[in-house]
Amino acid sequence: MLKLSAQVQSAINQRKPIVALESTIISHGLPRPSNLQVAQEVEEIVRENGATPATIAVLDGVVHVGLDANQLDQIANTDGVLKASIRDLAIVQSQKQNAATTVSATAHIAKLAGIKVFATGGLGGVHRGQNYDESADLIALSNTPIIVVCAGVKSILDVGATLERLETFAIPVLGYMTNKFPGFYLTDSGFTLDNQVQTAEQIAKIYSARKDLKTDNTAIVVANPAPNQMDVSLHNKLLNDGLAASTKAGIVGKAVTPFLLEYFHSNSGGESLRINIEIIKSNSKLAAQIAQAIN
Ligand code: PSU
Ligand code: MN
């Protein structure tokens, strides 16, 4: 059912640390041609930090765990690659489609493959002012035992509501060297976290204590702030204008997040791209360190 790359299969056989990587960020989160380059660099960063990268995507209906150079290129550069959350997986598989996987779908497949750590950019969450537009990422993380390293959630979302949902779903949120919940482009979303960790080893301890207490049925979110945040006034302007543009264009459903991400990329003079790239690199490095610490 899953097609493991040779490298991922060998890491599993030798019980070596593995980091799952999401593909929607490649197909729908970053513009061409940077998307392919970033996807390759991120895999390299995982390797340099002692783990095996496993980028997850669906190609011609086959669920891949670990992509070769050609397959990464397909996700980055083929037109019409779908965005698959958990509910779409069986459909894209049966219909032999190409699909990038969101956080929810990637976490689920990583679990099937026995992978315990996952790096992404930002999580989906509760959208502002939209009753019931709540990312499937949240519910997936509520029943998937995996460590997800992210830079919090973007301020395109209702950050406070998203944190409340994470609490309801019993998903721990650990600030990495911070007690501020990061807002992706900004290192501080304005919300304080209850729990802060300083090292990958501390995360590993929490990971194993959850097993003992049998509270390990949910994900652990590790919130790792961007190395250098966006200028705050630029950020606020893009946010207001982007939300207004999305409403005006009548964007709904799974198109909302890609629309807003693209709005930021097109209107920030390269700033949002720079930060996005720094974030995914920094998260992948930390994820590799965590994968080693829990191994
Ligand atoms: N947020 C980001 N960057 C992203 C995404 C979210 O800052 O690339 C992508 C992820 O794949 C996430 C998905 O799982 O969007 C959430 O989409 P939705 O809001 O439609 O659930
Ligand atoms: Mn949605």
Side-chain angles (χ1 to χ4, degrees):
M1 182 188 50
L2 301 180
K3 175 94 181 84
L4 306 183
S5 71
Q7 285 171 7
V8 169
Q9 184 66 65
S10 126
I12 290 174
N13 294 346
Q14 298 175 58
R15 299 182 185 281
K16 289 193 170 157
I18 304 177
V19 172
L21 298 164
E22 186 217 322
S23 48
T24 297
I25 190 169
I26 307 171
S27 62
H28 292 72
L30 293 169
R32 296 177 191 163
S34 326
N35 59 349
L36 177 60
Q37 196 189 338
V38 174
Q40 290 164 339
E41 286 173 10
V42 162
E43 292 206 346
E44 200 43 46
I45 287 171
V46 171
R47 285 191 197 97
E48 279 164 9
N49 286 280
T52 299
T55 303
I56 291 177
V58 184
L59 292 169
D60 300 318
V62 178
V63 179
H64 288 265
V65 180
L67 301 181
D68 66 24
N70 265 327
Q71 293 165 336
L72 263 189
D73 184 76
Q74 273 191 64
I75 287 294
N77 291 318
T78 309
D79 288 335
V81 171
L82 302 168
K83 169 182 164 187
S85 74
I86 281 196
R87 72 169 180 172
D88 304 310
L89 285 174
I91 301 169
V92 296
Q93 186 190 62
S94 315
Q95 302 190 344
K96 301 199 182 340
Q97 290 165 319
N98 292 326
T101 49
T102 64
V103 168
S104 73
T106 309
H108 180 75
I109 294 164
K111 177 180 79 174
L112 296 181
I115 300 173
K116 301 173 190 120
V117 183
F118 167 24
T120 185
L123 298 182
V126 181
H127 281 263
R128 292 172 178 239
Q130 300 291 333
N131 285 338
Y132 303 111
D133 185 357
E134 193 172 319
S135 178
D137 291 354
L138 292 175
I139 229 157
L141 297 180
S142 77
N143 58 30
T144 310
I146 194 159
I147 300 173
V148 183
V149 183
C150 64
V153 300
K154 289 203 171 87
S155 39
I156 59 173
L157 300 176
D158 183 333
V159 180
T162 302
L163 283 169
E164 293 294 348
R165 295 301 271 158
L166 289 167
E167 182 185 5
T168 304
F169 289 145
I171 302 167
V173 183
L174 309 176
Y176 185 71
M177 297 210 259
T178 183
N179 68 347
K180 312 290 183 201
F181 187 58
F184 196 87
Y185 298 117
L186 303 180
T187 52
D188 178 2
S189 64
F191 291 83
T192 301
L193 291 172
D194 293 335
N195 299 293
Q196 174 174 176
V197 289
Q198 313 296 331
T199 62
E201 287 65 33
Q202 272 177 285
I203 297 167
K205 274 194 181 159
I206 295 168
Y207 179 82
S208 82
R210 281 185 3 133
K211 284 193 172 171
D212 297 341
L213 293 165
K214 305 220 181 322
T215 59
D216 60 335
N217 55 319
T218 75
I220 296 176
V221 171
V222 176
N224 183 32
N228 301 289
Q229 74 169 7
M230 186 182 275
D231 176 76
V232 176
S233 57
L234 172 64
H235 169 268
N236 294 346
K237 179 175 165 33
L238 290 170
L239 177 61
N240 286 329
D241 295 354
L243 290 170
S246 161
T247 306
K248 191 167 174 226
I251 308 294
V252 293
K254 69 181 183 181
V256 172
T257 299
F259 179 93
L260 290 167
L261 302 186
E262 167 55 26
Y263 187 92
F264 269 72
H265 288 318
S266 307
N267 294 282
S268 67
E271 265 298 275
S272 79
L273 182 60
R274 172 190 72 74
I275 294 176
N276 231 299
I277 294 173
E278 282 184 18
I279 283 174
I280 178 68
K281 289 184 176 177
S282 147
N283 290 349
S284 304
K285 179 176 177 182
L286 177 57
Q289 292 165 350
I290 296 168
Q292 291 193 62
I294 65 169
N295 207 41

